[in-house]
Amino acid sequence: TAHTVLLATTKPFAKDAVAAIKTICEEHGLVFDKLEGYKDRAELYAAVASAEACIVRSDVCDEEFFSHAKKLKVLVRAGAGVDAIDLAAATRHGVCVQNTPGQNSNAVAELAFGMLLAHKRNYFDGNSGTEIRGSSLGLYGCGNVSRFMILAAQGFGMDIYAYDPFLTPDQITDLGAEPLYDVPSIFKCDVVSLHVPSTRETKHSIDEKLLRSMPKGGVLINTARKNIVQEADLLKALVDRPDLSYLADDKPDNTEEIKESLGEVRVKKQFLVTPKKMGAQTAEANSNSGIAAAKQVVEFFRDNLVKHQVNVNGKHF
Ligand code: NAD
């Protein structure tokens, strides 16, 4: 009998993306089912009860979810971050969890450059700004988003550096950046951009000392998780160094305190946060990740091929 694939999204995909996901499933003999914009968990539990595969976005998949998902074999997060999924519970229930890395990376890199350019031109308020050509860019992490950062930075004529202990110096050089060997070296750059996952090593790894070590006019861009930066230290560094700026897509918890301490004029110069996470919010990123998820489900059943599993051997990323 045909396998049933449930697309379960509180925040639905665009219509075109849903149509593409449905087509890919049906072309390969899978039964497509969808639950969009569900309001309570009971709806989700009822829908997932008969599904062998499930595609989600940032939907919460916890122990209770897996206990209702009696037939579930594969859960694909259309996107990168799997923080909303209890991976240990998935493993206990024998569910293979996958994500679709790389599908939103260009969108995130474009947001980072968009924020940087708007900042450098005073948010188009009519005052003279500065250019980024010739300045240095330091990348913390050199994965999927950083690859697009490098391509864009090359076009803008920046000097590009990257630190990533999971890549060899040659790999970093081949990607188009000069390899760095520790975190403090990144902070010597004019513009620093964070592209690491939130892990034991990276969480709270950006402290006051690093922030203060930035050159005059330094800009820190954070399109990664807010908890990479120590928020109390960020506040202190921004207050003491009026030349430093922080541009972020994941609003620090102490945003209001930072805004009050800086005052309106300095907030405009030094502090930009998007109202909600916007990095991956493009039509392209949404449909790319949905389509990639559907293809991974097809490969799972048709080819016994497991791609981008995130709960391997009890190791949870
Ligand atoms: P990725 O997994 O492709 O790349 C992350 C890189 O960081 C990898 O190359 C890894 O080797 C490196 N890394 C891991 N630990 C490190 C450490 N201690 N020091 C230096 N490098 C380290 O991920 P990505 O797609 O490039 O995304 C990066 C992060 O951005 C994600 O983990 C996520 O938190 C965030 N993100 C945000 C949005 C958004 O909407 N703002 C969207 C996508 C991703």
Coordinates of all heavy atoms in Angstrom, one line a residue, residues 104-105 108 140-145 163-166 195-197 201-202 223-225 249 277 279-280, ligand 1:
N104 N 17.9 27.8 2.4 CA 17.6 29.2 2.7 C 18.8 30.0 2.8 O 18.7 31.2 3.3 CB 16.7 29.3 3.9 CG 17.3 28.6 5.1 OD1 18.5 28.4 5.2 ND2 16.5 28.3 6.1
S105 N 20.0 29.4 2.5 CA 21.2 30.1 2.8 C 21.4 31.4 2.0 O 21.9 32.4 2.6 CB 22.4 29.2 2.5 OG 22.2 27.9 3.0
V108 N 19.4 34.2 3.6 CA 20.0 34.7 4.9 C 21.2 35.6 4.5 O 21.3 36.7 5.1 CB 20.5 33.5 5.8 CG1 21.2 34.1 7.0 CG2 19.3 32.7 6.2
Y140 N 32.3 33.9 11.1 CA 32.4 32.9 12.2 C 31.5 31.7 11.8 O 30.3 31.8 11.8 CB 31.9 33.5 13.5 CG 32.0 32.7 14.8 CD1 32.8 31.6 14.9 CD2 31.2 33.1 15.9 CE1 32.9 30.9 16.1 CE2 31.3 32.4 17.1 CZ 32.1 31.3 17.2 OH 32.2 30.6 18.4
G141 N 32.2 30.6 11.4 CA 31.5 29.5 10.7 C 31.6 29.7 9.2 O 31.4 30.8 8.7
C142 N 31.9 28.6 8.5 CA 32.0 28.7 7.1 C 31.2 27.6 6.4 O 31.6 26.9 5.6 CB 33.5 28.7 6.7 SG 33.7 29.4 5.0
G143 N 29.9 27.6 6.7 CA 29.0 26.6 6.2 C 28.2 27.2 5.0 O 28.6 28.0 4.2
N144 N 26.9 26.8 5.0 CA 26.1 27.1 3.8 C 25.8 28.6 3.6 O 25.9 29.1 2.5 CB 24.7 26.4 3.9 CG 24.9 24.9 3.6 OD1 25.3 24.5 2.5 ND2 24.7 24.1 4.6
V145 N 25.5 29.3 4.7 CA 25.2 30.7 4.6 C 26.5 31.5 4.3 O 26.5 32.3 3.4 CB 24.6 31.3 5.9 CG1 24.4 32.8 5.8 CG2 23.2 30.7 6.2
Y163 N 36.7 31.6 10.0 CA 37.1 30.7 11.0 C 36.1 29.5 11.1 O 34.9 29.8 11.3 CB 37.3 31.3 12.4 CG 37.4 30.3 13.5 CD1 38.6 29.6 13.6 CD2 36.4 30.2 14.5 CE1 38.8 28.7 14.7 CE2 36.6 29.2 15.5 CZ 37.8 28.5 15.6 OH 37.9 27.6 16.6
D164 N 36.5 28.3 10.9 CA 35.7 27.1 11.0 C 36.5 25.9 11.3 O 37.2 25.4 10.4 CB 34.8 26.9 9.7 CG 33.7 25.9 9.9 OD1 33.9 24.9 10.6 OD2 32.6 26.1 9.3
P165 N 36.6 25.5 12.5 CA 37.5 24.4 12.9 C 37.1 23.0 12.3 O 37.9 22.1 12.4 CB 37.5 24.3 14.4 CG 36.1 24.9 14.8 CD 35.9 25.9 13.7
F166 N 35.9 23.0 11.7 CA 35.5 21.7 11.1 C 35.8 21.6 9.6 O 35.5 20.6 8.9 CB 34.0 21.5 11.3 CG 33.6 21.4 12.7 CD1 33.2 22.5 13.5 CD2 33.8 20.2 13.4 CE1 32.9 22.4 14.8 CE2 33.5 20.0 14.8 CZ 33.0 21.2 15.5
H195 N 27.8 32.9 11.6 CA 27.1 31.8 10.8 C 27.4 30.5 11.4 O 27.6 29.5 10.7 CB 27.5 31.9 9.3 CG 27.2 33.3 8.8 ND1 25.9 33.7 8.6 CD2 28.0 34.3 8.4 CE1 25.9 34.9 8.1 NE2 27.1 35.3 8.0
V196 N 27.4 30.4 12.7 CA 27.6 29.1 13.4 C 26.2 28.6 14.0 O 25.4 29.5 14.3 CB 28.6 29.3 14.6 CG1 30.0 29.3 14.1 CG2 28.3 30.5 15.5
P197 N 26.1 27.3 14.1 CA 24.9 26.9 14.9 C 25.1 27.1 16.3 O 26.2 27.4 16.8 CB 24.9 25.3 14.6 CG 26.3 25.0 14.3 CD 27.0 26.2 13.7
E201 N 29.8 24.9 22.3 CA 31.0 25.7 22.1 C 30.6 27.1 21.7 O 31.3 28.1 22.0 CB 31.9 25.1 21.0 CG 32.7 23.9 21.3 CD 31.8 22.7 21.2 OE1 31.0 22.6 20.2 OE2 31.8 21.8 22.1
T202 N 29.6 27.3 20.9 CA 29.3 28.6 20.3 C 28.4 29.5 21.2 O 28.5 30.7 21.1 CB 28.7 28.5 18.9 OG1 27.4 27.9 19.0 CG2 29.6 27.8 17.9
T223 N 22.9 36.8 12.0 CA 21.7 36.2 11.5 C 21.6 34.8 12.0 O 20.8 34.0 11.5 CB 21.7 36.2 9.9 OG1 22.9 35.5 9.5 CG2 21.7 37.5 9.3
A224 N 22.5 34.4 13.0 CA 22.4 33.1 13.6 C 21.6 33.3 14.9 O 20.7 34.2 14.9 CB 23.9 32.6 14.0
R225 N 21.7 32.4 15.9 CA 20.9 32.5 17.0 C 21.3 33.6 18.0 O 22.5 33.8 18.2 CB 20.9 31.2 17.8 CG 20.3 30.0 17.0 CD 18.8 30.2 16.8 NE 18.2 29.0 16.1 CZ 17.8 29.0 14.8 NH1 17.9 30.1 14.0 NH2 17.3 27.9 14.2
D249 N 19.1 39.4 13.3 CA 17.8 38.9 12.9 C 17.1 38.1 14.0 O 16.0 37.5 13.7 CB 18.1 38.0 11.6 CG 16.8 37.6 11.0 OD1 15.8 38.4 11.0 OD2 16.7 36.5 10.4
K277 N 12.1 37.0 13.1 CA 13.2 36.4 12.2 C 12.8 36.4 10.8 O 11.8 35.9 10.4 CB 13.5 35.0 12.7 CG 14.5 34.9 13.8 CD 15.6 33.8 13.6 CE 15.2 32.5 13.2 NZ 14.8 31.5 14.1
G279 N 15.3 36.0 8.1 CA 16.4 35.5 7.3 C 15.9 34.6 6.2 O 16.3 34.7 5.0
A280 N 15.1 33.7 6.6 CA 14.7 32.6 5.6 C 13.3 33.0 4.9 O 12.8 32.2 4.2 CB 14.5 31.3 6.3
Ligands
NAD1 P1 25.7 25.2 8.4 O1 25.5 24.1 9.2 O2 25.7 25.0 6.9 O3 27.1 25.9 8.7 C1 27.5 26.1 10.0 C2 29.0 26.1 10.1 O4 29.4 26.4 11.4 C3 29.6 24.7 9.7 O5 30.5 24.8 8.6 C4 30.2 24.3 11.0 O6 31.4 23.5 10.7 C5 30.6 25.6 11.6 N1 30.8 25.5 13.1 C6 30.2 24.7 14.0 N2 30.7 24.9 15.2 C7 31.6 25.9 15.1 C8 32.5 26.5 16.0 N3 32.5 26.2 17.3 N4 33.3 27.5 15.5 C9 33.3 27.8 14.2 N5 32.5 27.2 13.3 C10 31.7 26.3 13.7 O7 24.6 26.3 8.8 P2 24.1 27.6 7.9 O8 23.0 27.2 7.0 O9 25.3 28.3 7.4 O10 23.4 28.4 9.1 C11 24.2 28.9 10.2 C12 23.2 29.2 11.3 O11 22.4 30.3 11.0 C13 22.2 28.1 11.6 O12 22.7 27.2 12.6 C14 21.0 28.8 12.2 O13 21.2 29.0 13.6 C15 21.2 30.2 11.6 N6 20.1 30.4 10.5 C16 19.3 31.5 10.7 C17 18.3 31.7 9.8 C18 17.5 32.9 9.9 O14 16.3 32.9 9.5 N7 18.0 34.0 10.4 C19 18.1 30.8 8.7 C20 19.0 29.8 8.5 C21 20.0 29.6 9.5

